[in-house]
Amino acid sequence: MTDVDASGDAIPNILGDGGSDVSVGAVRPTLPDAGRLFRVFCAVDPVDDPLVHSAVAVLSVWVRHYESRRRPMLGRLAGQLDLYIYLIDCHAEDIMANHSSNLAADEMHYTYGEHVALLTSDFVRYKGEQSSQGGVTDDQALHHHRHWRGFDTMVAAVHAGTVRLKPPRDPSSPRFTAPRHPRLVD
């Protein structure tokens, strides 16, 4: 990856600058930003809270999915992904309970856990592109950079109170496909 994209804009290190991550001495816990999650995924930062632990589980689901080269995602993996997204959303809701909320702010279209899952999928694809012949092109790097910055912007907006977290999806809804007993799924 180059340090500058085709338009001359700097592309940050994949590990990020920390942004609004959970840090030592913080008064209140905050939602992890892209840099924090990437540092955990690269084993630079420890897995030190339940939300981050669930994000690592999401990482393992995406790695297994991309390694299988099957489309669409296997039902069992999709169920695991939904379960980990739900756990992330519950932890995010707990974190944000300690922050003042603006009830007039718009609710996000997707849950924080769904955003983490998309970011993690993007991270796995980026790492795969890095190790492929030819590496990461400038266009690919710019695409990933924009996705990561968008995630950080969303986290900052939640903390600023300009948007509200969407509550966790109801596990009893048809959309929620958490894993059932192994003999009952594919």
Side-chain angles (χ1 to χ4, degrees), residues 65-128:
H65 170 64
Y66 285 119
E67 285 177 351
S68 77
R69 301 185 187 274
R70 294 184 69 175
R71 302 293 184 272
M73 181 181 278
L74 293 173
R76 181 179 298 205
L77 288 179
Q80 290 172 2
L81 187 62
D82 280 348
L83 178 62
Y84 296 133
I85 287 170
Y86 176 75
L87 293 173
I88 289 169
D89 288 335
C90 290
H91 295 305
E93 196 173 56
D94 290 345
I95 288 170
M96 293 311 295
N98 297 322
H99 296 258
S100 59
S101 62
N102 178 1
L103 297 177
D106 290 334
E107 184 176 272
M108 292 178 8
H109 294 289
Y110 299 99
T111 70
Y112 176 76
E114 290 167 335
H115 282 284
V116 168
L118 292 172
L119 178 76
T120 305
S121 170
D122 194 64
F123 174 83
V124 173
R125 285 194 332 263
Y126 176 80
K127 294 304 277 182

Coordinates of all heavy atoms in Angstrom, one line a residue, residues 65-128:
H65 N -15.4 -17.9 6.2 CA -16.2 -17.7 5.0 C -15.4 -17.4 3.8 O -15.6 -18.1 2.7 CB -17.2 -16.5 5.2 CG -17.9 -16.1 4.0 ND1 -18.8 -17.0 3.3 CD2 -17.9 -15.0 3.2 CE1 -19.3 -16.4 2.3 NE2 -18.8 -15.2 2.2
Y66 N -14.4 -16.5 3.8 CA -13.6 -16.2 2.6 C -12.7 -17.4 2.3 O -12.5 -17.6 1.1 CB -12.8 -14.9 2.8 CG -13.7 -13.7 2.7 CD1 -13.9 -12.8 3.8 CD2 -14.5 -13.5 1.5 CE1 -14.7 -11.7 3.7 CE2 -15.3 -12.4 1.4 CZ -15.4 -11.5 2.5 OH -16.2 -10.4 2.4
E67 N -12.2 -18.1 3.2 CA -11.4 -19.3 2.9 C -12.2 -20.4 2.3 O -11.7 -21.1 1.5 CB -10.7 -19.8 4.2 CG -9.6 -18.9 4.7 CD -8.9 -19.4 6.0 OE1 -9.5 -20.3 6.6 OE2 -7.9 -18.9 6.3
S68 N -13.5 -20.5 2.6 CA -14.3 -21.5 2.0 C -14.7 -21.2 0.6 O -15.0 -22.2 -0.2 CB -15.6 -21.7 2.8 OG -16.5 -20.7 2.5
R69 N -14.6 -20.0 0.2 CA -14.9 -19.5 -1.2 C -16.4 -19.9 -1.6 O -16.7 -20.1 -2.8 CB -13.9 -20.1 -2.2 CG -12.5 -19.7 -1.9 CD -11.6 -20.1 -3.0 NE -10.2 -19.9 -2.7 CZ -9.5 -18.7 -3.0 NH1 -10.2 -17.7 -3.5 NH2 -8.3 -18.6 -2.7
R70 N -17.2 -20.1 -0.6 CA -18.6 -20.5 -0.9 C -19.5 -19.2 -0.9 O -19.3 -18.4 0.0 CB -19.1 -21.5 0.1 CG -18.4 -22.8 -0.1 CD -18.9 -23.9 0.8 NE -20.3 -24.3 0.4 CZ -20.9 -25.2 0.9 NH1 -20.4 -25.9 1.9 NH2 -22.1 -25.6 0.5
R71 N -20.4 -19.1 -1.8 CA -21.3 -18.0 -1.8 C -22.7 -18.7 -2.0 O -22.9 -19.6 -2.8 CB -21.1 -17.1 -3.0 CG -19.7 -16.4 -3.0 CD -19.5 -15.5 -1.8 NE -18.2 -14.8 -1.9 CZ -17.1 -15.3 -1.4 NH1 -17.0 -16.4 -0.8 NH2 -16.0 -14.5 -1.4
P72 N -23.7 -18.3 -1.3 CA -23.7 -17.4 -0.2 C -23.0 -18.0 1.0 O -22.6 -19.2 1.0 CB -25.1 -17.1 0.1 CG -25.9 -18.3 -0.3 CD -25.0 -18.8 -1.5
M73 N -22.9 -17.2 2.1 CA -22.3 -17.7 3.3 C -23.1 -18.9 3.8 O -24.4 -19.0 3.8 CB -22.3 -16.6 4.4 CG -21.7 -17.0 5.7 SD -21.8 -15.7 7.0 CE -20.3 -14.8 6.5
L74 N -22.4 -20.0 4.3 CA -23.1 -21.1 4.9 C -24.0 -20.7 6.1 O -23.7 -19.8 6.8 CB -22.1 -22.1 5.5 CG -21.1 -22.8 4.5 CD1 -20.1 -23.6 5.2 CD2 -21.9 -23.7 3.6
G75 N -25.1 -21.4 6.2 CA -26.1 -21.1 7.2 C -25.5 -21.1 8.6 O -25.9 -20.2 9.4
R76 N -24.7 -22.0 8.9 CA -24.1 -22.1 10.2 C -23.2 -20.8 10.5 O -23.3 -20.2 11.6 CB -23.3 -23.3 10.4 CG -22.7 -23.4 11.8 CD -21.9 -24.7 12.0 NE -22.8 -25.8 11.8 CZ -22.6 -27.0 12.3 NH1 -21.5 -27.2 13.0 NH2 -23.4 -28.0 12.1
L77 N -22.5 -20.4 9.5 CA -21.6 -19.2 9.7 C -22.5 -18.0 9.8 O -22.2 -17.1 10.6 CB -20.6 -19.1 8.5 CG -19.5 -20.1 8.5 CD1 -18.6 -19.8 7.3 CD2 -18.6 -20.0 9.8
A78 N -23.5 -17.9 9.0 CA -24.4 -16.7 9.1 C -25.1 -16.7 10.4 O -25.2 -15.6 11.0 CB -25.5 -16.8 8.0
G79 N -25.5 -17.8 11.0 CA -26.0 -17.8 12.3 C -25.1 -17.4 13.4 O -25.4 -16.6 14.3
Q80 N -23.8 -17.8 13.3 CA -22.8 -17.4 14.2 C -22.6 -15.9 14.1 O -22.4 -15.2 15.1 CB -21.5 -18.1 14.0 CG -21.5 -19.6 14.3 CD -20.3 -20.4 13.9 OE1 -19.4 -19.8 13.4 NE2 -20.3 -21.7 14.2
L81 N -22.5 -15.4 12.9 CA -22.3 -14.0 12.6 C -23.4 -13.2 13.3 O -23.2 -12.2 14.0 CB -22.2 -13.7 11.1 CG -21.9 -12.3 10.7 CD1 -20.5 -11.9 11.2 CD2 -21.9 -12.1 9.2
D82 N -24.7 -13.6 13.1 CA -25.8 -12.9 13.7 C -25.7 -12.9 15.3 O -26.0 -11.9 15.9 CB -27.1 -13.5 13.3 CG -27.6 -13.1 12.0 OD1 -27.1 -12.1 11.4 OD2 -28.5 -13.7 11.4
L83 N -25.3 -14.0 15.8 CA -25.1 -14.1 17.3 C -24.1 -13.1 17.8 O -24.3 -12.4 18.7 CB -24.8 -15.5 17.7 CG -24.6 -15.8 19.2 CD1 -25.8 -15.4 20.0 CD2 -24.1 -17.2 19.4
Y84 N -22.9 -13.1 17.1 CA -21.8 -12.2 17.5 C -22.2 -10.7 17.3 O -21.9 -9.9 18.2 CB -20.5 -12.5 16.8 CG -20.0 -13.9 17.2 CD1 -19.6 -14.8 16.2 CD2 -20.0 -14.3 18.5 CE1 -19.1 -16.0 16.5 CE2 -19.5 -15.6 18.8 CZ -19.1 -16.4 17.8 OH -18.6 -17.7 18.1
I85 N -23.0 -10.4 16.3 CA -23.5 -9.1 16.1 C -24.4 -8.7 17.2 O -24.3 -7.6 17.7 CB -24.2 -8.9 14.7 CG1 -23.2 -9.0 13.6 CG2 -25.0 -7.7 14.6 CD1 -23.8 -9.1 12.2
Y86 N -25.3 -9.6 17.6 CA -26.2 -9.3 18.7 C -25.4 -9.1 20.0 O -25.7 -8.1 20.7 CB -27.1 -10.5 18.9 CG -28.1 -10.4 20.1 CD1 -29.1 -9.5 20.0 CD2 -27.8 -11.1 21.2 CE1 -30.0 -9.4 21.1 CE2 -28.7 -11.0 22.3 CZ -29.8 -10.1 22.2 OH -30.6 -10.0 23.3
L87 N -24.4 -9.9 20.2 CA -23.6 -9.7 21.5 C -22.9 -8.3 21.4 O -22.8 -7.6 22.4 CB -22.6 -10.8 21.6 CG -23.2 -12.2 21.9 CD1 -22.1 -13.2 21.9 CD2 -23.9 -12.2 23.2
I88 N -22.3 -7.9 20.3 CA -21.7 -6.6 20.1 C -22.7 -5.5 20.4 O -22.4 -4.6 21.1 CB -21.0 -6.5 18.7 CG1 -19.8 -7.4 18.6 CG2 -20.7 -5.0 18.4 CD1 -19.2 -7.5 17.2
D89 N -23.9 -5.7 19.8 CA -24.9 -4.6 20.0 C -25.3 -4.5 21.5 O -25.5 -3.4 22.0 CB -26.1 -4.9 19.2 CG -25.9 -4.7 17.7 OD1 -25.0 -3.9 17.3 OD2 -26.6 -5.3 16.9
C90 N -25.4 -5.6 22.2 CA -25.8 -5.6 23.6 C -24.6 -4.9 24.4 O -24.9 -4.0 25.3 CB -26.0 -7.0 24.2 SG -27.5 -7.7 23.5
H91 N -23.4 -5.2 24.1 CA -22.3 -4.5 24.8 C -22.2 -3.0 24.4 O -22.0 -2.2 25.3 CB -20.9 -5.2 24.4 CG -20.8 -6.6 24.9 ND1 -21.0 -7.0 26.2 CD2 -20.6 -7.8 24.2 CE1 -20.9 -8.3 26.4 NE2 -20.6 -8.8 25.2
A92 N -22.5 -2.7 23.1 CA -22.5 -1.3 22.7 C -23.6 -0.5 23.5 O -23.4 0.6 23.9 CB -22.7 -1.2 21.2
E93 N -24.7 -1.1 23.6 CA -25.8 -0.5 24.3 C -25.4 -0.3 25.8 O -25.7 0.8 26.3 CB -27.0 -1.4 24.2 CG -28.3 -0.8 24.6 CD -29.5 -1.7 24.3 OE1 -29.5 -2.9 24.8 OE2 -30.4 -1.3 23.6
D94 N -24.7 -1.2 26.4 CA -24.3 -1.1 27.8 C -23.3 0.1 27.9 O -23.3 0.9 28.8 CB -23.6 -2.4 28.3 CG -24.6 -3.5 28.5 OD1 -25.9 -3.2 28.6 OD2 -24.2 -4.6 28.7
I95 N -22.3 0.2 26.9 CA -21.3 1.2 26.9 C -22.0 2.6 26.8 O -21.7 3.5 27.6 CB -20.3 1.0 25.8 CG1 -19.4 -0.1 26.1 CG2 -19.5 2.3 25.6 CD1 -18.5 -0.6 25.0
M96 N -23.0 2.7 25.9 CA -23.6 4.0 25.6 C -24.6 4.4 26.7 O -25.0 5.5 26.8 CB -24.3 4.0 24.3 CG -23.2 3.9 23.1 SD -21.9 5.1 23.2 CE -22.8 6.7 23.1
A97 N -25.0 3.4 27.6 CA -25.9 3.7 28.7 C -25.2 4.7 29.6 O -25.9 5.4 30.4 CB -26.3 2.5 29.4
N98 N -23.9 4.8 29.7 CA -23.1 5.7 30.5 C -22.9 7.0 29.9 O -22.3 7.9 30.5 CB -21.8 5.1 30.9 CG -21.9 3.8 31.6 OD1 -22.8 3.7 32.5 ND2 -21.0 2.8 31.3
H99 N -23.5 7.2 28.7 CA -23.3 8.5 28.0 C -24.7 9.2 27.9 O -25.7 8.5 27.8 CB -22.8 8.3 26.6 CG -21.4 7.7 26.6 ND1 -20.3 8.5 26.3 CD2 -20.9 6.5 26.8 CE1 -19.2 7.7 26.4 NE2 -19.6 6.5 26.6
S100 N -24.7 10.5 27.9 CA -26.0 11.2 27.7 C -26.4 11.0 26.3 O -25.6 10.9 25.4 CB -25.9 12.6 28.1 OG -24.9 13.2 27.3
S101 N -27.7 10.8 26.1 CA -28.2 10.6 24.7 C -29.2 11.7 24.3 O -29.8 12.3 25.1 CB -28.9 9.2 24.6 OG -30.1 9.2 25.5
N102 N -29.2 11.9 23.0 CA -30.0 12.9 22.4 C -31.2 12.2 21.8 O -31.0 11.6 20.7 CB -29.2 13.8 21.4 CG -30.1 14.8 20.7 OD1 -31.3 14.9 21.0 ND2 -29.5 15.5 19.8
L103 N -32.3 12.2 22.4 CA -33.5 11.5 21.9 C -34.0 12.0 20.6 O -34.7 11.4 19.8 CB -34.6 11.4 23.0 CG -34.2 10.7 24.2 CD1 -35.4 10.7 25.2 CD2 -33.9 9.2 23.9
A104 N -33.7 13.3 20.3 CA -34.1 13.9 19.0 C -33.2 13.5 17.9 O -33.5 13.7 16.7 CB -34.1 15.4 19.2
A105 N -32.0 12.9 18.2 CA -31.1 12.5 17.1 C -31.7 11.3 16.3 O -32.4 10.5 16.9 CB -29.7 12.1 17.8
D106 N -31.3 11.3 15.1 CA -31.8 10.2 14.2 C -31.1 8.9 14.7 O -30.0 8.9 15.1 CB -31.4 10.4 12.7 CG -32.2 11.6 12.1 OD1 -33.3 11.8 12.6 OD2 -31.7 12.2 11.2
E107 N -31.9 7.8 14.5 CA -31.4 6.5 14.8 C -30.6 6.0 13.6 O -31.0 6.2 12.4 CB -32.6 5.5 15.1 CG -32.1 4.2 15.5 CD -33.3 3.3 15.9 OE1 -33.7 3.4 17.1 OE2 -33.9 2.6 15.0
M108 N -29.5 5.3 13.8 CA -28.7 4.7 12.7 C -29.6 3.7 12.0 O -30.4 3.1 12.6 CB -27.5 4.1 13.3 CG -26.5 5.0 13.9 SD -24.9 4.4 14.6 CE -24.9 2.7 14.2
H109 N -29.3 3.5 10.7 CA -30.0 2.6 9.9 C -29.6 1.1 10.2 O -30.4 0.2 10.1 CB -29.8 2.8 8.4 CG -30.4 4.1 7.9 ND1 -31.8 4.3 7.8 CD2 -29.8 5.3 7.5 CE1 -32.0 5.5 7.4 NE2 -30.8 6.1 7.2
Y110 N -28.4 0.9 10.6 CA -27.9 -0.4 10.9 C -27.4 -0.3 12.4 O -27.0 0.7 12.9 CB -26.7 -0.8 10.0 CG -27.1 -0.9 8.6 CD1 -26.9 0.2 7.7 CD2 -27.8 -2.0 8.1 CE1 -27.3 0.1 6.4 CE2 -28.2 -2.1 6.8 CZ -28.0 -1.0 5.9 OH -28.4 -1.1 4.6
T111 N -27.3 -1.5 13.0 CA -26.8 -1.5 14.4 C -25.2 -1.3 14.3 O -24.6 -1.6 13.3 CB -27.1 -2.8 15.1 OG1 -26.3 -3.9 14.5 CG2 -28.6 -3.1 15.0
Y112 N -24.7 -1.0 15.5 CA -23.2 -0.9 15.6 C -22.6 -2.2 15.3 O -21.6 -2.3 14.6 CB -22.8 -0.4 17.0 CG -21.3 -0.4 17.2 CD1 -20.6 0.7 16.7 CD2 -20.7 -1.4 18.0 CE1 -19.2 0.7 16.9 CE2 -19.4 -1.3 18.2 CZ -18.6 -0.3 17.7 OH -17.2 -0.3 17.9
G113 N -23.2 -3.3 15.8 CA -22.6 -4.7 15.5 C -22.6 -5.0 14.0 O -21.7 -5.6 13.5
E114 N -23.6 -4.6 13.3 CA -23.7 -4.8 11.8 C -22.5 -4.0 11.1 O -21.9 -4.4 10.2 CB -25.0 -4.4 11.2 CG -26.1 -5.4 11.7 CD -27.5 -4.9 11.4 OE1 -27.8 -3.7 11.3 OE2 -28.4 -5.7 11.3
H115 N -22.3 -2.7 11.6 CA -21.2 -1.9 11.1 C -19.9 -2.6 11.4 O -19.0 -2.6 10.5 CB -21.2 -0.5 11.7 CG -22.2 0.4 11.1 ND1 -22.1 1.0 9.8 CD2 -23.4 0.8 11.6 CE1 -23.1 1.7 9.6 NE2 -24.0 1.6 10.6
V116 N -19.7 -3.2 12.6 CA -18.5 -3.9 13.0 C -18.3 -5.1 12.0 O -17.2 -5.3 11.5 CB -18.5 -4.3 14.4 CG1 -17.3 -5.3 14.7 CG2 -18.4 -3.1 15.4
A117 N -19.4 -5.8 11.8 CA -19.3 -7.0 10.9 C -18.8 -6.6 9.5 O -18.0 -7.2 8.8 CB -20.6 -7.7 10.8
L118 N -19.4 -5.5 8.9 CA -19.0 -5.0 7.6 C -17.6 -4.5 7.6 O -16.8 -4.8 6.7 CB -19.9 -3.9 7.2 CG -21.4 -4.3 6.9 CD1 -22.3 -3.1 6.6 CD2 -21.4 -5.2 5.7
L119 N -17.2 -3.8 8.6 CA -15.8 -3.3 8.7 C -14.8 -4.5 8.8 O -13.8 -4.6 8.2 CB -15.6 -2.5 10.0 CG -14.2 -2.0 10.3 CD1 -13.9 -0.8 9.3 CD2 -14.1 -1.5 11.7
T120 N -15.2 -5.6 9.6 CA -14.4 -6.7 9.7 C -14.3 -7.5 8.4 O -13.2 -8.0 8.0 CB -14.9 -7.6 10.8 OG1 -15.0 -6.8 12.0 CG2 -14.0 -8.8 11.1
S121 N -15.4 -7.6 7.7 CA -15.3 -8.2 6.4 C -14.4 -7.5 5.4 O -13.6 -8.1 4.7 CB -16.7 -8.3 5.8 OG -16.7 -8.7 4.4
D122 N -14.4 -6.2 5.5 CA -13.5 -5.3 4.7 C -12.1 -5.5 5.1 O -11.2 -5.6 4.2 CB -13.9 -3.9 4.9 CG -13.3 -3.0 3.8 OD1 -13.6 -3.1 2.6 OD2 -12.5 -2.1 4.2
F123 N -11.8 -5.7 6.4 CA -10.5 -5.9 6.9 C -9.9 -7.2 6.4 O -8.8 -7.3 5.9 CB -10.5 -5.9 8.4 CG -9.2 -6.3 9.0 CD1 -8.2 -5.4 9.2 CD2 -8.9 -7.6 9.5 CE1 -7.0 -5.7 9.8 CE2 -7.7 -8.0 10.0 CZ -6.7 -7.0 10.2
V124 N -10.8 -8.3 6.4 CA -10.3 -9.6 5.9 C -10.0 -9.6 4.4 O -9.0 -10.1 3.9 CB -11.4 -10.7 6.2 CG1 -11.0 -12.0 5.6 CG2 -11.5 -10.8 7.8
R125 N -10.9 -8.9 3.7 CA -10.7 -8.7 2.2 C -9.4 -8.0 1.9 O -8.6 -8.3 1.1 CB -11.8 -8.0 1.5 CG -13.0 -8.9 1.4 CD -14.1 -8.4 0.4 NE -14.1 -6.9 0.3 CZ -15.0 -6.1 0.9 NH1 -15.8 -6.6 1.8 NH2 -14.9 -4.8 0.7
Y126 N -9.1 -6.9 2.7 CA -7.9 -6.1 2.6 C -6.7 -7.0 2.8 O -5.7 -6.9 2.1 CB -7.9 -4.9 3.5 CG -6.7 -4.1 3.5 CD1 -6.4 -3.2 2.5 CD2 -5.7 -4.3 4.5 CE1 -5.3 -2.4 2.4 CE2 -4.5 -3.5 4.4 CZ -4.3 -2.6 3.4 OH -3.1 -1.9 3.4
K127 N -6.7 -7.7 3.9 CA -5.5 -8.6 4.2 C -5.3 -9.6 3.1 O -4.2 -10.0 2.8 CB -5.7 -9.3 5.6 CG -5.7 -8.3 6.8 CD -4.5 -7.5 6.9 CE -3.4 -8.2 7.6 NZ -2.2 -7.4 7.7
G128 N -6.4 -10.1 2.6 CA -6.3 -11.1 1.4 C -5.7 -10.4 0.2 O -4.9 -11.0 -0.5

